[in-house]
Amino acid sequence: MKDTKKTRYEIGALAVLLLVLALVARYALRSQTSEVAGVYADNSQFHPLNVPDPSLRLDLLARMQNEKFNGQDRNIFSAAPLPPSPAQIEAQRAAQQAPPPLPAGPPPLTVPANFYGIVTDLATGHKRACFSANADDVYIVPEGGTLMNQFRVVKIGNNSVELQELSTGRTTTLVLANAPGMPVNPQQAQN
């Protein structure tokens, strides 16, 4: 008899457990479906658009259909470059027909020293030009001599000196800046 009582208790306990399991499963399913199926209407920031006449505007649609695209057609799925526009073709033709610009000459020759005087030896009559690169450097160069290892003194005039750049052979004329009555243009200087 003990075995039958024991089995009855086991069967009762098993029935109670199955009932609890069914209730838990039902509650779990109900909570999942209620979250998904529910509608949230608590959005207080929602404001509907104020549309006085919600009908379709056929006049605007017809106007948009009549407009034509004036740009170049292009396949958006192709990486090929666009063909040139008529304006670009005309610009290329004009560039090909125009003569090439004349090359600019070399920049003017600049001497990094100031010409400030001429020294004449009374006994021999030889002239020497005086130059100053800065307050400390003074150069006294005779005709045919070199100034700063870059320029040769070609000719010393009364108020001017003609220099030739050794590397290029270009020449320039420097005029005494503070001589009274001297022309500003080096071409007008007396040699």
Side-chain angles (χ1 to χ4, degrees):
M1 264 218 193
K2 284 186 177 181
D3 285 334
T4 60
K5 272 188 173 182
K6 186 176 178 185
T7 56
R8 282 186 192 174
Y9 287 125
E10 288 176 354
I11 290 175
L14 184 60
V16 170
L17 282 175
L18 285 175
L19 182 63
V20 170
L21 181 63
L23 290 173
V24 168
R26 186 172 181 182
Y27 177 74
L29 286 176
R30 183 180 293 164
S31 66
Q32 287 178 358
T33 58
S34 68
E35 288 178 9
V36 174
V39 175
Y40 295 106
D42 189 28
N43 191 354
S44 61
Q45 295 178 351
F46 174 73
H47 299 289
L49 294 176
N50 185 13
V51 180
D53 184 16
S55 63
L56 184 61
R57 297 276 312 265
L58 295 177
D59 58 334
L60 294 177
L61 183 61
R63 190 177 76 190
M64 287 179 58
Q65 288 176 347
N66 290 336
E67 289 185 14
K68 294 187 180 180
F69 178 67
N70 295 331
Q72 290 182 324
D73 292 332
R74 179 184 177 129
N75 182 358
I76 63 171
F77 300 106
S78 174
L82 282 174
S85 68
Q88 290 173 340
I89 292 172
E90 288 298 322
Q92 289 174 354
R93 285 183 189 161
Q96 290 173 354
Q97 292 174 357
L102 297 175
L109 185 62
T110 59
V111 179
N114 294 327
F115 173 55
Y116 67 91
I118 298 172
V119 177
T120 305
D121 187 7
L122 294 176
T124 60
H126 294 291
K127 295 181 180 180
R128 292 185 216 148
C130 299
F131 299 94
S132 173
N134 55 33
D136 296 334
D137 297 332
V138 176
Y139 302 100
I140 300 175
V141 184
E143 282 187 2
T146 58
L147 171 66
M148 302 170 67
N149 293 328
Q150 295 177 3
F151 303 96
R152 179 176 317 274
V153 176
V154 177
K155 184 177 180 184
I156 299 174
N158 291 334
N159 294 320
S160 64
V161 64
E162 185 178 342
L163 298 174
Q164 179 183 22
E165 188 176 28
L166 295 175
S167 61
T168 62
R170 296 186 305 165
T171 61
T172 187
T173 302
L174 297 180
V175 179
L176 281 174
N178 52 355
M182 282 301 302
V184 178
N185 188 355
Q187 304 300 338
Q188 298 174 352
Q190 296 176 0
N191 288 329

